[in-house]
C-alpha cells in the first residue's frame, strides 16, 4: 500500500461485481434514484465516510468512470461491500443504474479526503440535499446514535434516510409532499443554528444549497465542512479538471476535497453569460394541449420537421420502409448521384473505429438517368421531401447532371462538392473558393431548382468557401461531409483502404462539426439579411440532444447518417426527443431556439 506524505493511502484500481441494483423507494419521480451494491474482488483499502470511487462498467459506451460518493461500506467475509446512491442523470449514470447482479465494474478509489469526526463536545448538524444525502448519511453511520441532528432537503419525496439514528430528523420538500413545505431555508437558518447551539455543520448537496449553508454558518459563527462535486476524468489528482475556487487558490475536488473547510470556498453567483453568450431565461413549458411546430423551410421548401436522412447512408429511402416509418422524416437526401453509373472503389470499404465508422464507398450509384426513371418516382411517393444529391467527376458532368435533374419534379438539389472518396471531382471542388465558385456558378446557370451546397470540413478556409458558394447562387449550405482519416491493418502492415485515406463519420466528429457549423453560420449572419441562407448540419448526430446542439449553434435542419446503421430508429427518436424538449422548454418553433449561442 502506497501512502502520501500525510500517511493517507493513494487510490487503487480495483475490480468488483454488482451484487444488487434496485430503484430507491420514495424517490420522486419514480425510478430516478438507484441503490447500487458492489463487492470488491480484492479488498485493498477500506474507505472512509466522505470519500468516493470512480466507477466504470466493464461493458460501457462511456469513456470515463463516474465519481460516486460512498453511501455505505462494510466488510463481509473479508470482502469490502460498497453501497452507492445514484441519481439517473446522464448516459454514464444510466449505465450504472441499469446494471444487473454479476455485472463487472472497475473502480478507482477510495478517492479524496473524508469527513473528519467531531470532537466529543461538538453539537453536530448534518445537512443533505437531494442525492447529496448519500455521503452525509454515510458519515452519520460513523457517529454515535442521537449525537447529531439531520436536515434533509428534497424537491419531492425523500429517500436514503432509513438508517439514520438522529436526535432530530427534519425533512423539507419543495412541494410539501414530506415534512416542512419549502427548501432548506424553511427549516434551517442562522437563527436556528444559534438557538440549537450547533457548533459544527457537515453538508453535501447542490451548490446553491451549500452556498446558503456557508452563508448562515458565517452569520452564526459556526464551523462548516462542505462536500463538493465537480466534473472529473481521473479521480487521482492529475487531470486538473475538477478544480474548486477557494480563497487559497484553485483546489482539486478529487484530492484536496471533496470535503472542504466551508470558510475557504468561493461560490460565484450564477453566470449571466458564458463565453459572451447570454444564459437563456427560463421559459414556461407549452400548455398540455399545445404541440411545438417542428417544420422548417429550406430554400423555400417546407419540411415537416428538421430531420433528414443523410446522403450515402440512407439509399433512396425505400430500403428502410420495412424497418421503420420513413414517412415521419422531414426529408431524405439520395445516394450521391453522378452523370454516369459508377461501381465505386475496390477493396475494403468499411472500417469500424471505437467512436465512428470509416468508409471508402467511392460514390457507387446507378447514374442520374437511372435515378430519374427508377428511384426518383419511388422517393417522391414517400412523404419526406426528396433531395437529389448531385456529384460529378468534373465540371461538365456536374452541369449535365444538373440539366437532367432540372427537368424533374425533385424539390431540392444538394450539390456535393465534398466527397473525400473519389479521385476526381468531389472534395476537390470544395477545397478552395475559386473551384467552389466555378462549379456552383455553372450549376446555378442550368437549373432553377433550389440549390444546397454540401461542403467538406477539409477546406483550409471553410467559411470563405461557404460565402463564395452563397455569392455564386447557393440557396443553402450543408456540412460537414465526412472527415478524412487513415486506418492501418497492423497484422498485415498495410493501409486498410486501397485509396489510403477514407471518410470518418460518427460521434467522434460531432464537436468539431458543431464548431464548423457555428463558424459558418456566424459568417452567414454577417451578410445582408436578404443574402443569408439556411444551413443543414451533418456530423455524428446520434440522439435528439445532438440535434439540439447543432440547431442552437445555428443550423436550420440536421442530417443523420452513421447512427442509423447502429440504431435504425435514431431519426424517429430524434424527432420525438426534439418535440418533447421543445414542449418542456417552451419553444414553439425550431426558429425560436435556432442560433441561440450566436453572439
Amino acid at each position: 500500500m502506497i501512502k502520501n506524505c500525510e500517511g493517507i493511502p493513494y487510490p487503487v484500481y480495483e475490480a468488483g461485481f454488482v451484487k444488487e441494483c434496485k430503484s430507491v423507494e420514495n424517490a420522486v419521480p419514480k425510478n430516478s434514484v438507484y441503490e447500487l451494491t458492489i463487492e470488491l474482488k480484492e479488498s485493498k483499502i477500506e474507505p472512509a465516510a466522505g470519500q468516493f470511487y470512480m466507477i466504470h462498467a466493464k461493458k460501457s459506451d462511456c469513456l470515463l468512470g463516474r465519481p460516486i460518493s460512498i453511501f455505505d461500506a462494510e466488510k463481509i467475509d473479508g470482502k469490502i461491500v460498497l453501497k452507492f446512491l445514484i441519481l439517473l442523470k446522464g448516459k454514464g449514470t444510466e449505465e450504472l443504474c441499469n446494471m444487473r447482479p454479476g455485472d463487472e465494474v472497475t473502480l478507482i478509489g477510495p478517492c479524496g479526503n473524508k469527513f473528519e469526526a467531531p470532537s466529543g463536545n461538538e453539537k453536530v448538524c448534518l445537512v443533505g440535499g437531494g442525492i447529496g444525502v448519500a455521503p452525509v448519511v454515510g458519515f452519520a453511520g460513523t457517529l454515535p446514535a442521537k449525537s447529531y441532528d439531520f436536515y434533509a432537503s428534497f424537491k419531492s419525496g425523500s429517500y436514503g434516510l432509513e438508517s439514520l439514528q438522529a436526535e432530530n430528523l427534519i425533512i423539507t420538500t419543495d412541494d410539501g409532499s414530506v415534512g416542512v413545505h419549502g427548501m432548506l431555508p424553511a427549516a434551517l437558518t442562522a437563527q436556528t443554528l444559534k438557538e440549537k447551539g450547533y457548533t459544527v455543520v457537515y453538508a453535501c448537496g447542490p451548490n446553491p444549497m451549500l452556498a446558503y449553508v456557508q452563508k448562515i454558518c458565517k452569520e452564526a459563527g459556526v464551523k462548516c465542512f462542505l462536500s463538493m462535486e465537480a466534473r472529473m476524468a481521473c479521480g487521482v489528482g492529475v487531470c486538473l479538471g475538477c478544480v474548486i475556487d477557494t480563497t487559497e487558490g484553485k483546489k482539486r475536488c478529487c484530492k484536496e476535497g471533496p470535503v472542504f473547510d466551508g470558510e475557504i470556498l468561493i461560490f460565484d453567483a450564477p453566470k449571466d453569460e458564458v463565453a459572451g453568450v447570454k444564459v437563456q431565461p427560463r421559459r414556461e413549458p407549452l400548455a398540455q394541449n399545445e404541440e411545438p411546430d417542428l417544420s422548417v423551410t429550406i430554400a423555400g421548401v417546407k419540411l415537416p420537421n428538421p430531420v433528414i436522412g443523410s446522403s450515402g447512408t440512407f439509399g433512396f429511402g425505400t430500403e428502410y420502409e420495412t424497418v421503420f416509418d420513413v414517412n415521419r422524416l422531414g426529408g431524405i437526401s439520395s445516394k450521391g448521384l453522378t452523370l454516369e453509373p459508377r461501381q465505386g472503389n475496390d477493396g475494403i470499404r468499411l472500417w469500424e473505429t471505437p467512436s465512428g465508422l470509416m468508409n471508402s464507398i467511392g460514390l457507387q450509384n446507378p447514374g442520374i438517368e437511372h435515378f430519374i426513371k427508377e428511384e426518383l418516382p419511388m422517393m417522391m411517393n414517400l412523404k419526406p421531401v426528396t433531395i437529389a444529391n448531385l456529384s460529378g467527376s468534373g465540371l461538365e458532368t456536374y452541369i449535365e447532371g444538373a440539366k437532367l435533374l432540372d427537368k424533374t419534379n425533385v424539390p431540392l438539389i444538394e450539390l456535393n462538392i465534398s466527397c473525400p472518396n473519389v479521385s476526381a471531382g468531389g472534395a476537390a471542388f470544395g477545397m478552395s473558393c475559386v473551384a467552389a465558385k466555378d462549379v456552383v456558378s455553372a450549376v446555378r446557370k442550368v437549373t432553377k431548382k433550389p440549390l444546397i451546397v454540401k461542403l467538406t470540413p477539409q477546406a483550409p478556409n471553410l467559411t470563405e468557401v461557404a460565402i463564395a458558394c452563397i455569392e455564386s447562387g447557393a440557396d443553402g449550405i450543408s456540412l460537414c461531409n465526412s472527415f478524412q482519416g487513415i486506418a492501418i491493418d497492423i497484422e498485415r502492415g498495410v493501409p486498410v483502404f486501397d485509396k489510403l485515406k477514407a471518410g470518418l463519420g460518427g460521434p467522434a466528429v460531432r464537436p468539431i462539426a458543431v464548431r464548423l457549423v457555428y463558424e459558418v453560420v456566424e459568417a452567414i449572419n454577417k451578410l445582408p439579411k436578404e443574402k443569408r441562407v439556411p444551413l443543414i448540419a451533418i456530423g455524428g448526430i446520434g440522439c435528439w440532444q445532438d440535434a439540439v446542439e447543432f440547431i442552437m449553434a445555428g443550423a436550420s435542419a440536421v442530417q443523420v447518417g452513421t447512427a442509423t446503421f447502429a440504431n435504425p430508429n435514431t431519426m424517429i427518436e430524434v424527432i420525438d426527443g426534439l418535440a418533447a424538449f421543445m414542449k418542456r422548454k417552451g419553444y414553439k418553433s425550431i426558429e425560436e431556439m435556432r442560433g441561440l449561442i450566436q453572439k
Side-chain angles (χ1 to χ4, degrees):
M1 184 185 300
I2 303 175
K3 299 182 180 181
N4 65 16
C5 58
E6 297 174 345
I8 300 173
Y10 283 109
V12 296
Y13 185 62
E14 303 193 62
F17 66 89
V18 175
K19 293 194 71 174
E20 185 179 34
C21 186
K22 62 181 181 180
S23 178
V24 173
E25 291 184 10
N26 302 321
V28 178
K30 189 176 180 181
N31 297 328
S32 60
V33 178
Y34 286 76
E35 182 181 294
L36 178 64
T37 304
I38 294 173
E39 181 177 307
L40 301 183
K41 291 184 177 180
E42 293 182 22
S43 298
K44 296 179 180 178
I45 304 175
E46 290 192 41
Q51 292 185 299
F52 67 94
Y53 280 83
M54 298 292 292
I55 310 176
H56 199 255
K58 196 163 186 181
K59 296 179 180 177
S60 173
D61 290 329
C62 295
L63 174 65
L64 304 176
R66 295 301 189 263
I68 310 291
S69 296
I70 300 163
F71 178 50
D72 184 46
E74 58 181 331
K75 214 163 192 178
I76 302 175
D77 297 329
K79 299 287 188 181
I80 293 177
V81 177
L82 305 167
K83 287 187 178 180
F84 304 91
L85 288 186
I86 302 176
L87 175 67
L88 201 164
K89 193 174 183 179
K91 188 175 181 181
T93 53
E94 183 180 12
E95 277 189 357
L96 297 177
C97 291
N98 282 287
M99 300 198 77
R100 296 290 179 263
D103 285 351
E104 295 185 350
V105 297
T106 57
L107 307 93
I108 294 178
C111 300
N113 60 10
K114 62 181 181 177
F115 286 115
E116 293 293 343
S119 61
N121 59 353
E122 299 277 17
K123 183 70 183 296
V124 178
C125 172
L126 304 182
V127 182
I131 200 67
V133 300
V136 190
V137 168
F139 179 50
T142 69
L143 303 178
K146 308 294 183 180
S147 67
Y148 59 88
D149 289 346
F150 199 107
Y151 292 79
S153 185
F154 301 92
K155 286 185 177 180
S156 183
S158 68
Y159 56 85
L161 310 175
E162 296 77 16
S163 67
L164 288 174
Q165 298 183 58
E167 177 72 19
N168 296 290
L169 172 61
I170 302 94
I171 301 173
T172 76
T173 50
D174 195 26
D175 64 358
S177 55
V178 181
V180 179
H181 191 173
M183 296 307 287
L184 187 63
L188 186 64
T189 63
Q191 187 63 31
T192 309
L193 293 174
K194 294 177 183 177
E195 291 175 355
K196 296 285 187 179
Y198 296 127
T199 58
V200 62
V201 175
Y202 300 86
C204 183
N207 269 17
M209 187 200 86
L210 295 181
Y212 172 75
V213 171
Q214 181 197 54
K215 174 177 175 290
I216 62 174
C217 285
K218 186 176 182 180
E219 291 174 7
V222 175
K223 291 184 298 183
C224 66
F225 296 92
L226 309 179
S227 180
M228 302 291 288
E229 181 183 65
R231 295 179 184 273
M232 59 184 69
C234 68
V236 298
V238 300
C239 76
L240 303 178
C242 64
V243 294
I244 300 289
D245 286 326
T246 78
T247 57
E248 300 172 0
K250 293 185 182 294
K251 291 185 178 291
R252 298 166 294 181
C253 190
C254 70
K255 202 69 175 176
E256 288 83 32
V259 181
F260 292 91
D261 182 338
E263 286 189 8
I264 71 168
L265 292 173
I266 298 173
F267 290 97
D268 293 323
K271 293 182 177 180
D272 292 328
E273 61 178 50
V274 178
V277 179
K278 288 186 177 180
V279 175
Q280 291 297 304
R282 184 181 180 278
R283 293 167 168 254
E284 288 300 316
L286 299 186
Q288 191 70 29
N289 61 350
E290 187 179 7
E291 295 300 325
D293 179 8
L294 267 66
S295 67
V296 295
T297 300
I298 304 294
V301 179
K302 187 173 182 180
L303 281 65
N305 63 68
V307 181
I308 301 166
S310 186
S311 174
T313 66
F314 208 62
F316 301 102
T318 54
E319 295 91 335
Y320 272 100
E321 273 193 286
T322 58
V323 180
F324 70 91
D325 186 4
V326 299
N327 284 314
R328 291 195 58 197
L329 303 182
I332 297 171
S333 184
S334 75
K335 184 74 185 75
L337 302 165
T338 52
L339 185 62
E340 71 291 342
R342 291 184 65 130
Q343 291 299 306
N345 293 335
D346 295 327
I348 292 174
R349 291 184 171 196
L350 296 175
W351 190 259
E352 187 175 357
T353 75
S355 52
L357 183 67
M358 298 184 74
N359 86 87
S360 182
I361 307 301
L363 286 176
Q364 179 176 339
N365 74 97
I368 291 176
E369 288 187 351
H370 188 280
F371 167 76
I372 292 172
K373 182 180 179 182
E374 301 293 340
E375 285 83 16
L376 180 58
M378 292 189 293
M379 288 188 75
M380 295 297 293
N381 283 334
L382 299 173
K383 291 181 181 179
V385 171
T386 296
I387 304 169
N389 184 279
L390 170 63
S391 192
S393 54
L395 185 59
E396 202 57 42
T397 62
Y398 274 110
I399 294 171
E400 293 306 313
K403 286 180 179 178
L404 292 175
L405 290 173
D406 187 64
K407 298 174 183 177
T408 71
N409 58 351
V410 69
L412 284 165
I413 295 176
E414 183 177 46
L415 184 63
N416 183 347
I417 56 171
S418 54
C419 179
N421 299 317
V422 292
S423 300
F429 282 104
M431 292 295 286
S432 73
C433 296
V434 173
K437 194 169 185 176
D438 285 346
V439 69
V440 174
S441 298
V443 170
R444 178 76 288 169
K445 289 177 182 177
V446 297
T447 179
K448 293 184 174 63
K449 300 284 185 186
L451 197 60
I452 310 298
V453 180
K454 187 172 185 178
L455 299 180
T456 171
Q458 310 300 138
N461 43 356
L462 179 59
T463 55
E464 293 177 22
V465 171
I467 298 303
C469 291
I470 294 168
E471 291 174 346
S472 302
D475 299 301
I477 299 293
S478 62
L479 70 112
C480 307
N481 207 324
S482 52
F483 292 65
Q484 274 197 335
I486 293 175
I488 298 172
D489 183 336
I490 61 172
E491 294 297 331
R492 295 191 299 146
V494 296
V496 167
F497 298 104
D498 283 9
K499 288 186 175 292
L500 182 60
K501 298 177 183 179
L504 171 67
V509 308
R510 189 182 70 252
I512 304 171
V514 172
R515 173 182 66 83
L516 295 176
V517 165
Y518 172 87
E519 290 174 351
V520 170
V521 171
E522 185 181 38
I524 290 173
N525 287 343
K526 292 177 181 177
L527 296 173
K529 198 168 184 179
E530 66 275 9
K531 290 188 176 181
R532 296 174 194 171
V533 302
L535 183 145
I536 301 172
I538 315 163
I541 296 167
C543 60
W544 65 264
Q545 292 94 332
D546 300 341
V548 171
E549 267 199 86
F550 276 111
I551 292 168
M552 287 188 174
S556 295
V558 297
Q559 289 188 18
V560 177
T562 304
T564 300
F565 299 143
N567 172 16
N569 287 315
T570 295
M571 285 187 279
I572 300 302
E573 293 170 4
V574 169
I575 294 167
D576 292 341
L578 267 175
F581 174 78
M582 291 171 65
K583 186 162 186 171
R584 173 169 61 86
K585 300 290 285 187
Y587 295 116
K588 294 182 179 181
S589 67
I590 294 293
E591 194 60 28
E592 282 191 3
M593 65 176 180
R594 189 183 73 80
L596 283 182
I597 73 157
Q598 291 287 335
K599 299 175 186 178

